[in-house]
């Protein structure tokens, strides 16, 4: 049984006139009559009573009409759903991010995606350190990751969405809190609070690199899994830390931020995805992100891989 036979049957059943049904289907009447005869032969029943003056449904035709309409409606729904999915309007995109440093960029992206594609599902994985997010994008367990440069994984593309500076967070009663800017070298003997080592935190890596460039290795006395806890420990006087400007929204009693003295130490944040990811939904999210999270004009990123 062919789809064209079902479409022809519904047209004749609704028009109850072969000429009008043929015109509606944009075909000649003889082929339409032939399709109806073929359908009746396949079913082994008569669907219409025809004479020179009228056409009407038989009881078999009346019973057949409702289910055929359902089949055609379901098929139309399936076609529209497939086309919408192909445009990225439906589907699922998994996103990895670090909570504190993505507090502005992630909501801007998710709100824009939901406005543009309300049928698209975003699955967010929080507390994902930048290097971990990059690894999971590379192995295919995440579609999209908030990461920091450099991005060196083969097959992974990226686009810069923000530029941050490394700054110092201090207890408000710390002697260095009175300075307008803090020279890195004066932190050599200070206790530090930071992310756990070897967990994929690019902020911890940047802190270590900056301190070592100033001639010392930071003495980390306590580790914490996220920026909110780290800043609480700093405010409690446990130690100092280096963080990025995107975390300055974390405000609490006993905590102050100060820029570092000297040339700014900048870190570029980016979105990363696999080049060979075939997801139309991912492509739709990336297209929305172009407007929601534009590349900063002064970032001057290298072109994506």
């Amino acid at each position: 049984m062919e789809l064209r036979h079902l479409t022809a049957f519904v047209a004749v059943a609704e028009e109850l006139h072969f000429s009008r049904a043929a015109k509606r289907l944009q075909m000649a009447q003889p082929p339409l009559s032939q399709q109806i005869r073929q359908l009746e032969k396949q079913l082994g029943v008569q669907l219409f009573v025809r004479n020179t003056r009228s056409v009407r449904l038989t009881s078999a035709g009346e019973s057949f009409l409702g289910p055929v309409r359902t089949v055609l409606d379901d098929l139309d729904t399936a076609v529209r759903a497939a086309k919408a999915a192909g445009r990225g309007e439906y589907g699922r995109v998994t996103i990895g991010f670090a909570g504190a440093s993505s507090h502005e960029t992630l909501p801007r992206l998710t709100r824009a995606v939901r406005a543009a594609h309300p049928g698209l599902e975003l699955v967010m994985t929080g507390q994902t350190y930048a290097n971990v997010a990059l690894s999971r994008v590379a192995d295919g367990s995440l579609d999209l990751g908030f990461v920091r440069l450099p991005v060196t994984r083969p097959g992974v593309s990226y686009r810069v969405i923000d530029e941050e500076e490394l700054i110092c967070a201090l207890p408000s009663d710390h002697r260095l809190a009175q300075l307008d800017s803090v020279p890195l070298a004066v932190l050599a003997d200070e206790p530090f609070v930071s992310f756990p080592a070897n967990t994929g935190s690019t902020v911890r890596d940047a802190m270590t690199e900056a301190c070592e460039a100033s001639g010392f290795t930071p003495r980390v006395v306590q580790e914490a899994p996220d920026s909110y806890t780290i800043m609480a420990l700093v405010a409690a006087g446990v130690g100092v830390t280096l963080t990025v400007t995107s975390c300055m929204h974390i405000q609490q009693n006993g905590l102050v931020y100060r820029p570092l003295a000297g040339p700014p130490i900048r870190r570029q944040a980016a979105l990363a995805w696999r080049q060979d990811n075939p997801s139309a939904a991912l492509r739709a999210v990336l297209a929305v992100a172009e407007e929601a999270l534009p590349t900063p004009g002064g970032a001057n990123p290298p072109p994506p891989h």
Side-chain angles (χ1 to χ4, degrees), residues 105 108-109 134 144-151 156-163 268-274 282-297 299-305:
T105 51
R108 291 213 310 266
L109 177 60
L134 182 57
L144 190 64
F146 283 78
V147 304
R148 288 189 177 89
L149 269 56
V151 174
V156 175
S157 291
Y158 67 90
R159 184 176 61 80
V160 172
I161 59 170
D162 196 10
E163 188 169 68
Q268 291 178 332
L271 290 175
W273 63 94
R274 280 189 64 90
L282 172 61
R283 292 196 298 272
V285 170
L286 291 174
V288 171
E290 290 279 350
E291 293 189 10
L293 301 175
T295 297
N300 295 323
H305 299 138

Side-chain angles (χ1 to χ4, degrees), residues 17-38:
H17 195 283
F18 274 82
S19 294
R20 288 197 300 268
K23 185 176 181 180
R24 169 173 155 180
L25 296 172
Q26 297 182 331
M27 62 186 299
Q29 183 176 333
L32 175 60
S33 299
Q34 183 179 12
Q35 288 182 16
I36 296 300
R37 287 194 297 271
Q38 290 172 345

Side-chain angles (χ1 to χ4, degrees), residues 3 31 35 51 57 133 148 167 180-181 183 187 237 279 282 285 290 299 302-303:
L3 178 62
Q35 288 182 16
N51 58 43
L57 285 164
R148 288 189 177 89
I167 57 174
D180 292 332
S181 61
L187 299 175
S279 169
L282 172 61
V285 170
E290 290 279 350

Side-chain angles (χ1 to χ4, degrees), residues 69-149:
R69 279 176 171 155
T70 299
V71 168
L72 295 179
D73 287 344
D74 288 348
L75 178 60
D76 180 64
T77 299
V79 169
R80 286 187 284 108
K83 289 181 177 179
R87 294 190 299 268
E89 295 174 4
Y90 293 96
R92 172 184 292 189
V93 175
T94 54
I95 302 175
F97 67 97
S101 59
S102 302
H103 87 286
E104 288 188 357
T105 51
L106 180 66
R108 291 213 310 266
L109 177 60
T110 56
R111 284 195 297 268
V113 169
R114 285 170 178 150
H117 305 293
L120 198 155
E121 181 184 4
L122 300 179
V123 179
M124 266 76 76
T125 302
Q127 302 302 333
T128 306
Y129 297 126
N131 283 340
V132 174
L134 182 57
S135 296
R136 293 190 60 191
V137 167
D139 68 21
S141 58
L142 283 176
D143 294 311
L144 190 64
F146 283 78
V147 304
R148 288 189 177 89
L149 269 56

Side-chain angles (χ1 to χ4, degrees), residues 2-290:
E2 298 182 34
L3 178 62
R4 63 193 177 100
H5 292 156
L6 301 180
T7 303
F9 165 72
V10 170
V12 176
E14 291 177 348
E15 299 291 345
L16 292 178
H17 195 283
F18 274 82
S19 294
R20 288 197 300 268
K23 185 176 181 180
R24 169 173 155 180
L25 296 172
Q26 297 182 331
M27 62 186 299
Q29 183 176 333
L32 175 60
S33 299
Q34 183 179 12
Q35 288 182 16
I36 296 300
R37 287 194 297 271
Q38 290 172 345
L39 181 59
E40 290 176 324
K41 183 177 180 180
Q42 288 177 338
L43 293 172
V45 296
Q46 186 176 354
L47 298 172
F48 297 98
V49 176
R50 315 164 179 82
N51 58 43
T52 56
R53 294 184 179 181
S54 66
V55 176
R56 63 182 176 84
L57 285 164
T58 64
S59 59
E62 289 176 353
S63 298
F64 192 49
L65 180 58
V68 170
R69 279 176 171 155
T70 299
V71 168
L72 295 179
D73 287 344
D74 288 348
L75 178 60
D76 180 64
T77 299
V79 169
R80 286 187 284 108
K83 289 181 177 179
R87 294 190 299 268
E89 295 174 4
Y90 293 96
R92 172 184 292 189
V93 175
T94 54
I95 302 175
F97 67 97
S101 59
S102 302
H103 87 286
E104 288 188 357
T105 51
L106 180 66
R108 291 213 310 266
L109 177 60
T110 56
R111 284 195 297 268
V113 169
R114 285 170 178 150
H117 305 293
L120 198 155
E121 181 184 4
L122 300 179
V123 179
M124 266 76 76
T125 302
Q127 302 302 333
T128 306
Y129 297 126
N131 283 340
V132 174
L134 182 57
S135 296
R136 293 190 60 191
V137 167
D139 68 21
S141 58
L142 283 176
D143 294 311
L144 190 64
F146 283 78
V147 304
R148 288 189 177 89
L149 269 56
V151 174
T152 57
R153 294 295 186 110
V156 175
S157 291
Y158 67 90
R159 184 176 61 80
V160 172
I161 59 170
D162 196 10
E163 188 169 68
E164 307 165 306
E165 288 186 17
L166 209 60
I167 57 174
C168 184
L170 303 155
S172 58
D173 60 357
H174 195 284
R175 59 186 176 82
L176 298 176
Q178 307 306 313
L179 300 179
D180 292 332
S181 61
V182 177
L184 263 174
V186 303
L187 299 175
D189 296 326
E190 296 292 332
F192 278 75
V193 181
S194 191
F195 296 97
N198 304 316
T199 55
S201 168
T202 57
V203 173
R204 166 108 185 206
D205 294 343
M207 180 187 79
T208 302
E209 291 170 9
C211 292
E212 289 179 345
S214 292
F216 71 98
T217 298
R219 179 170 58 90
V220 177
V221 297
Q222 189 160 341
E223 297 177 334
D226 59 80
S227 292
Y228 297 100
T229 307
I230 289 171
M231 297 311 162
L233 292 169
V234 172
V238 175
V240 303
T241 194
L242 299 187
T243 187
V244 286
T245 45
S246 61
C247 290
M248 290 181 67
H249 69 283
I250 303 175
Q251 298 288 336
Q252 49 189 290
N253 292 332
L255 174 69
V256 296
Y257 298 98
R258 294 291 181 266
L260 296 174
I265 302 173
R266 294 189 172 93
R267 306 288 291 180
Q268 291 178 332
L271 290 175
W273 63 94
R274 280 189 64 90
Q275 293 174 3
D276 60 359
N277 189 324
S279 169
L282 172 61
R283 292 196 298 272
V285 170
L286 291 174
V288 171
E290 290 279 350

